[in-house]
Amino acid sequence: MVDAILDLLIAGETRPTAQQVSDRSGVSMRTIFRLFDDMTSLHQAAIERQAERVLALMVPLPDTGPLPLRVEAVVASRAKVFESISPVRRAAVRLAATSPTIATELGRAAALFRAQAADALRPELDAAPGALDAVDLVTSWEAWERLRTVQGLTVAQAGEVVRRTLTALLS
């Protein structure tokens, strides 16, 4: 059932219903609501499963070497992760206003992404006090989402914008 709701979100269904989850999972509606109090509970379980998937996608990034190589590693990692998680992340953002569990999970993910970028770009960040907030913004899912959906950029174009911005910020 949890995988079914995630699959529906990934397939583009923005608000999967219990009936759709039932059809997709082959589990009756009665079973769904015997195991979950409501759709919010099912959504929360799906977000927890998605968090596991995100962790599996995150690879260690180099923290030494030339800045262009480390920036490229950050950008490539973000593109891979963000392209994978965006359909589910959009639903999570929508539900976070009414779900403390989901809001907490989104905050935890943001902190994880911030720490990963900080570790990879530490020498330059140490030399530029205050730059971490800007790096965090530029490498955030929200920035990626804007580049991809509002500005309509391709993955390659969005990556180039992030790459250029990071390089200018840290050079």
mmCIF file of all heavy atoms in Angstrom, residues 4-22:
data_model
loop_
_atom_site.group_PDB
_atom_site.id
_atom_site.type_symbol
_atom_site.label_atom_id
_atom_site.label_comp_id
_atom_site.label_asym_id
_atom_site.label_seq_id
_atom_site.Cartn_x
_atom_site.Cartn_y
_atom_site.Cartn_z
ATOM 1 N N ALA A 4 2.433 1.520 -3.294
ATOM 2 C CA ALA A 4 1.406 1.865 -4.285
ATOM 3 C C ALA A 4 1.159 3.370 -4.302
ATOM 4 O O ALA A 4 1.068 3.967 -5.381
ATOM 5 C CB ALA A 4 0.106 1.122 -3.995
ATOM 6 N N ILE A 5 1.075 3.992 -3.138
ATOM 7 C CA ILE A 5 0.836 5.442 -3.124
ATOM 8 C C ILE A 5 2.041 6.187 -3.686
ATOM 9 O O ILE A 5 1.899 7.153 -4.431
ATOM 10 C CB ILE A 5 0.417 5.953 -1.731
ATOM 11 C CG1 ILE A 5 -0.223 7.344 -1.865
ATOM 12 C CG2 ILE A 5 1.569 5.987 -0.768
ATOM 13 C CD1 ILE A 5 -0.951 7.813 -0.630
ATOM 14 N N LEU A 6 3.242 5.706 -3.389
ATOM 15 C CA LEU A 6 4.439 6.330 -3.959
ATOM 16 C C LEU A 6 4.466 6.158 -5.472
ATOM 17 O O LEU A 6 4.780 7.094 -6.214
ATOM 18 C CB LEU A 6 5.702 5.748 -3.326
ATOM 19 C CG LEU A 6 5.951 6.144 -1.875
ATOM 20 C CD1 LEU A 6 7.122 5.358 -1.296
ATOM 21 C CD2 LEU A 6 6.174 7.640 -1.724
ATOM 22 N N ASP A 7 4.129 4.969 -5.947
ATOM 23 C CA ASP A 7 4.085 4.717 -7.388
ATOM 24 C C ASP A 7 3.072 5.633 -8.079
ATOM 25 O O ASP A 7 3.329 6.145 -9.172
ATOM 26 C CB ASP A 7 3.736 3.260 -7.682
ATOM 27 C CG ASP A 7 4.849 2.295 -7.292
ATOM 28 O OD1 ASP A 7 5.991 2.749 -7.067
ATOM 29 O OD2 ASP A 7 4.560 1.084 -7.208
ATOM 30 N N LEU A 8 1.926 5.833 -7.445
ATOM 31 C CA LEU A 8 0.913 6.720 -8.020
ATOM 32 C C LEU A 8 1.423 8.163 -8.087
ATOM 33 O O LEU A 8 1.218 8.853 -9.091
ATOM 34 C CB LEU A 8 -0.380 6.649 -7.203
ATOM 35 C CG LEU A 8 -1.180 5.359 -7.379
ATOM 36 C CD1 LEU A 8 -2.194 5.193 -6.256
ATOM 37 C CD2 LEU A 8 -1.867 5.341 -8.744
ATOM 38 N N LEU A 9 2.091 8.607 -7.044
ATOM 39 C CA LEU A 9 2.653 9.959 -7.044
ATOM 40 C C LEU A 9 3.711 10.104 -8.135
ATOM 41 O O LEU A 9 3.735 11.100 -8.864
ATOM 42 C CB LEU A 9 3.247 10.294 -5.674
ATOM 43 C CG LEU A 9 2.229 10.511 -4.552
ATOM 44 C CD1 LEU A 9 2.917 10.502 -3.201
ATOM 45 C CD2 LEU A 9 1.456 11.803 -4.765
ATOM 46 N N ILE A 10 4.570 9.113 -8.261
ATOM 47 C CA ILE A 10 5.625 9.148 -9.280
ATOM 48 C C ILE A 10 5.017 9.140 -10.680
ATOM 49 O O ILE A 10 5.526 9.792 -11.591
ATOM 50 C CB ILE A 10 6.603 7.983 -9.070
ATOM 51 C CG1 ILE A 10 7.412 8.232 -7.788
ATOM 52 C CG2 ILE A 10 7.517 7.790 -10.268
ATOM 53 C CD1 ILE A 10 8.179 7.031 -7.285
ATOM 54 N N ALA A 11 3.900 8.446 -10.829
ATOM 55 C CA ALA A 11 3.221 8.379 -12.128
ATOM 56 C C ALA A 11 2.475 9.674 -12.457
ATOM 57 O O ALA A 11 1.925 9.810 -13.545
ATOM 58 C CB ALA A 11 2.258 7.199 -12.152
ATOM 59 N N GLY A 12 2.448 10.618 -11.511
ATOM 60 C CA GLY A 12 1.831 11.909 -11.782
ATOM 61 C C GLY A 12 0.491 12.148 -11.143
ATOM 62 O O GLY A 12 -0.116 13.204 -11.331
ATOM 63 N N GLU A 13 0.008 11.196 -10.382
ATOM 64 C CA GLU A 13 -1.265 11.376 -9.682
ATOM 65 C C GLU A 13 -0.989 12.265 -8.463
ATOM 66 O O GLU A 13 -0.291 11.866 -7.538
ATOM 67 C CB GLU A 13 -1.825 10.015 -9.248
ATOM 68 C CG GLU A 13 -3.178 10.090 -8.613
ATOM 69 C CD GLU A 13 -4.213 10.690 -9.540
ATOM 70 O OE1 GLU A 13 -4.358 10.198 -10.675
ATOM 71 O OE2 GLU A 13 -4.884 11.650 -9.125
ATOM 72 N N THR A 14 -1.510 13.481 -8.467
ATOM 73 C CA THR A 14 -1.153 14.437 -7.417
ATOM 74 C C THR A 14 -1.876 14.197 -6.091
ATOM 75 O O THR A 14 -1.371 14.583 -5.045
ATOM 76 C CB THR A 14 -1.414 15.884 -7.873
ATOM 77 O OG1 THR A 14 -2.794 16.023 -8.212
ATOM 78 C CG2 THR A 14 -0.529 16.241 -9.056
ATOM 79 N N ARG A 15 -3.022 13.569 -6.135
ATOM 80 C CA ARG A 15 -3.785 13.298 -4.913
ATOM 81 C C ARG A 15 -4.391 11.890 -4.992
ATOM 82 O O ARG A 15 -5.595 11.742 -5.213
ATOM 83 C CB ARG A 15 -4.885 14.327 -4.716
ATOM 84 C CG ARG A 15 -4.368 15.735 -4.477
ATOM 85 C CD ARG A 15 -5.518 16.696 -4.215
ATOM 86 N NE ARG A 15 -5.061 18.053 -4.108
ATOM 87 C CZ ARG A 15 -4.699 18.638 -2.970
ATOM 88 N NH1 ARG A 15 -4.745 17.967 -1.855
ATOM 89 N NH2 ARG A 15 -4.300 19.887 -2.969
ATOM 90 N N PRO A 16 -3.539 10.880 -4.817
ATOM 91 C CA PRO A 16 -4.072 9.515 -4.923
ATOM 92 C C PRO A 16 -5.181 9.257 -3.895
ATOM 93 O O PRO A 16 -5.069 9.647 -2.733
ATOM 94 C CB PRO A 16 -2.863 8.634 -4.617
ATOM 95 C CG PRO A 16 -1.676 9.500 -4.824
ATOM 96 C CD PRO A 16 -2.122 10.897 -4.518
ATOM 97 N N THR A 17 -6.227 8.614 -4.355
ATOM 98 C CA THR A 17 -7.339 8.272 -3.473
ATOM 99 C C THR A 17 -7.125 6.886 -2.882
ATOM 100 O O THR A 17 -6.300 6.103 -3.376
ATOM 101 C CB THR A 17 -8.661 8.266 -4.256
ATOM 102 O OG1 THR A 17 -8.593 7.216 -5.236
ATOM 103 C CG2 THR A 17 -8.923 9.614 -4.932
ATOM 104 N N ALA A 18 -7.888 6.579 -1.850
ATOM 105 C CA ALA A 18 -7.815 5.250 -1.250
ATOM 106 C C ALA A 18 -8.183 4.184 -2.283
ATOM 107 O O ALA A 18 -7.583 3.109 -2.317
ATOM 108 C CB ALA A 18 -8.736 5.171 -0.043
ATOM 109 N N GLN A 19 -9.149 4.489 -3.142
ATOM 110 C CA GLN A 19 -9.549 3.533 -4.175
ATOM 111 C C GLN A 19 -8.398 3.274 -5.145
ATOM 112 O O GLN A 19 -8.141 2.125 -5.525
ATOM 113 C CB GLN A 19 -10.779 4.032 -4.936
ATOM 114 C CG GLN A 19 -11.311 3.026 -5.935
ATOM 115 C CD GLN A 19 -11.775 1.733 -5.266
ATOM 116 O OE1 GLN A 19 -12.628 1.760 -4.371
ATOM 117 N NE2 GLN A 19 -11.208 0.606 -5.662
ATOM 118 N N GLN A 20 -7.685 4.313 -5.534
ATOM 119 C CA GLN A 20 -6.548 4.140 -6.435
ATOM 120 C C GLN A 20 -5.444 3.315 -5.767
ATOM 121 O O GLN A 20 -4.840 2.454 -6.408
ATOM 122 C CB GLN A 20 -5.987 5.497 -6.865
ATOM 123 C CG GLN A 20 -6.893 6.245 -7.817
ATOM 124 C CD GLN A 20 -6.417 7.658 -8.043
ATOM 125 O OE1 GLN A 20 -6.081 8.385 -7.107
ATOM 126 N NE2 GLN A 20 -6.389 8.062 -9.313
ATOM 127 N N VAL A 21 -5.198 3.578 -4.488
ATOM 128 C CA VAL A 21 -4.200 2.802 -3.748
ATOM 129 C C VAL A 21 -4.637 1.350 -3.666
ATOM 130 O O VAL A 21 -3.841 0.430 -3.864
ATOM 131 C CB VAL A 21 -3.954 3.393 -2.344
ATOM 132 C CG1 VAL A 21 -3.064 2.484 -1.509
ATOM 133 C CG2 VAL A 21 -3.337 4.787 -2.441
ATOM 134 N N SER A 22 -5.905 1.129 -3.417
ATOM 135 C CA SER A 22 -6.447 -0.223 -3.350
ATOM 136 C C SER A 22 -6.269 -0.945 -4.686
ATOM 137 O O SER A 22 -5.778 -2.079 -4.735
ATOM 138 C CB SER A 22 -7.936 -0.163 -2.985
ATOM 139 O OG SER A 22 -8.533 -1.434 -3.081
#
